[in-house]
Amino acid sequence: MDYKHSPVMLNESIEALDIKPDGVYLDLTLGRGGHSSEILKKLSTGKLICFDKDEQAIIESEPRLSKINNNYVLVHADYMNIKDVLEKHGIKSVDGILADIGVSSPQIDDFARGFSYSKDARLDMRMNQKQKLDAHFIVNNWSEVELVEIFRYYADVMLPQRVAKGIISNRPIDTTLQLVNIIRESLPAAIVRKKNPAKAVFQALRIAVNQELDALKKLVNYAPKILNKNGVLAIITFHSIEDRIVKRKFGTFIKDDTGKLPIIVSKEWTVKTKTPSRNEIENNNRSRTAKLRVLKRRKD
Ligand SMILES: C[S@@+](CC[C@H](N)C(=O)[O-])C[C@H]1O[C@@H](n2cnc3c(N)ncnc32)[C@H](O)[C@@H]1O
């Protein structure tokens, strides 16, 4: 079992959840169980429900969690379906919810899954391998308008029209490195020299394939409603497009959507924002863009 991928902002998120040994907790993004393991260690009679829409995450985390205790349930589901899953398990309210969103390091490192722009593989990028829509379909079928829209709104792709036109005129495109070359050839050399333009295009495609922003929007609308008194919703995001969704929604609870202050308190809610320590950023480059936003219910 490979635990080399460090969970991002682990101490900060566990501290924010302020775990009660008999509480009910949700880890909506199990991954390899880094955060879930720490939550589980703090539970005596409490319960942890772990979601992941990637079956591999469930399979690989089970042995790790089972060594700690049996107070967990693994659910192969999209957290968009949180309401149905909780109903099925007879859970009406919870004490804490963690979402460490986006793609996991093991997903990127398994080149065959097509998330990486540095190794050749079939265009795929599905977190849930049972899902139909994949990057291959989007790249080969979506219109110029649709491609430009995701390039612009999901990733700030530079000159999105040029990239979209380049893609459409080079169809069919089967693999990641074929796509990388087409992106490079579609853009002026000066842009390509500055930074790898494939990074943003791959991010946009990944978000579109996995409907990541739709899931996050549903989550921030629904999750606060099921928090018990002192219950916590903690969300770790990795880029400004995701963070903006969380910041705006949390801002509505405290009548302020600037999201700039580290702690804001109203009668009913507390909102906190944290970034990784310098030490964590030095040791884990993936954490450098992370932001943890925490919403806590203060009243019933
Ligand atoms: C950044 S990783 C989480 C890492 C985890 N916290 C750990 O310590 O190992 C994100 C995980 O969430 C999953 N995921 C992303 N969006 C999801 C969604 N809408 N529903 C369920 N799982 C999702 C991904 O498949 C991936 O395994």
Side-chain angles (χ1 to χ4, degrees):
M1 186 59 44
D2 173 11
Y3 301 151
K4 75 179 155 70
H5 303 291
S6 325
V8 171
M9 300 193 75
L10 180 63
N11 294 336
E12 293 88 343
S13 46
I14 297 299
E15 193 188 323
L17 287 170
D18 193 12
I19 292 160
K20 295 193 299 183
D22 60 348
V24 176
Y25 292 87
L26 311 180
D27 180 352
L28 300 180
T29 51
L30 173 68
R32 288 302 176 273
H35 291 91
S36 273
S37 298
E38 292 311 304
I39 298 172
L40 212 49
K41 284 178 196 164
K42 291 183 178 293
L43 299 181
S44 56
T45 56
K47 197 174 200 174
L48 172 64
I49 319 285
C50 309
F51 291 62
D52 206 298
K53 62 179 178 178
D54 182 345
E55 205 163 20
Q56 203 55 32
I58 306 277
I59 293 168
E60 301 227 357
S61 299
E62 152 73 9
R64 182 178 190 180
L65 299 183
S66 66
K67 284 196 188 97
I68 303 170
N69 60 45
N70 291 326
N71 300 11
Y72 64 91
V73 178
L74 299 176
V75 187
H76 179 219
D78 194 305
Y79 65 67
M80 265 206 241
N81 305 321
I82 179 172
K83 191 168 181 261
D84 296 341
V85 172
L86 294 189
E87 263 170 28
K88 200 171 145 205
H89 287 86
I91 296 171
K92 291 204 169 70
S93 60
V94 302
D95 298 293
I97 305 172
L98 174 69
D100 169 19
I101 65 173
V103 66
S104 70
S105 304
Q107 284 165 335
I108 295 172
D109 295 348
D110 182 353
F111 297 125
R113 301 194 58 174
F115 286 100
S116 169
Y117 51 87
S118 64
K119 287 270 171 15
D120 209 18
R122 185 180 186 278
L123 281 165
D124 187 329
M125 303 193 196
R126 289 168 305 159
M127 290 177 181
N128 177 0
Q129 288 162 303
K130 295 206 168 112
Q131 175 183 305
K132 259 194 164 173
L133 180 68
D134 62 7
H136 190 272
F137 185 86
I138 295 180
V139 165
N140 286 289
N141 294 283
W142 281 19
S143 68
E144 184 182 326
V145 172
E146 288 170 312
L147 290 175
V148 168
E149 194 166 296
I150 63 167
F151 293 161
R152 192 167 279 150
Y153 296 117
Y154 295 175
D156 290 333
V157 171
M158 276 188 280
L159 303 180
Q161 257 111 358
R162 282 213 198 191
V163 178
K165 282 189 198 314
I167 288 175
I168 289 168
S169 58
N170 282 285
R171 283 171 175 167
I173 304 167
D174 291 321
T175 75
T176 50
L177 291 192
Q178 249 180 297
L179 177 61
V180 170
N181 285 334
I182 290 162
I183 297 165
R184 285 175 169 273
E185 282 161 13
S186 311
L187 292 168
I191 288 189
V192 175
R193 265 197 307 274
K194 248 196 222 155
K195 64 177 180 186
N196 188 347
K199 187 177 176 195
V201 174
F202 273 56
Q203 176 180 305
L205 287 170
R206 192 204 86 207
I207 291 176
V209 168
N210 298 293
Q211 298 163 48
E212 291 177 39
L213 301 186
D214 293 341
L216 182 58
K217 283 179 195 159
K218 278 198 175 166
L219 172 67
V220 293
N221 279 319
Y222 179 70
K225 298 180 190 155
I226 55 164
L227 291 177
N228 290 329
K229 185 179 176 191
N230 292 323
V232 170
L233 169 62
I235 303 182
I236 302 171
T237 60
F238 289 88
H239 53 79
S240 56
I241 300 160
E242 296 166 339
D243 181 53
R244 207 174 302 138
I245 293 171
V246 182
K247 180 174 80 176
R248 291 222 173 116
K249 184 65 196 183
F250 284 13
T252 63
F253 290 93
I254 43 163
K255 311 272 182 286
D256 169 46
D257 69 356
T258 65
K260 293 227 164 90
L261 291 172
I263 302 182
I264 310 177
V265 184
S266 75
K267 270 190 192 155
E268 289 182 31
W269 302 92
T270 302
V271 174
K272 282 189 199 172
T273 309
K274 289 199 163 196
T275 47
S277 64
R278 199 175 293 172
N279 190 32
E280 178 168 8
I281 295 171
E282 274 165 19
N283 289 310
N284 179 9
N285 187 45
R286 206 180 98 75
S287 71
R288 88 195 173 282
T289 56
K291 197 163 264 181
L292 168 66
R293 293 198 186 262
V294 180
L295 178 72
K296 181 168 188 167
R297 181 190 282 276
R298 304 181 72 213
K299 279 187 169 178
D300 279 324

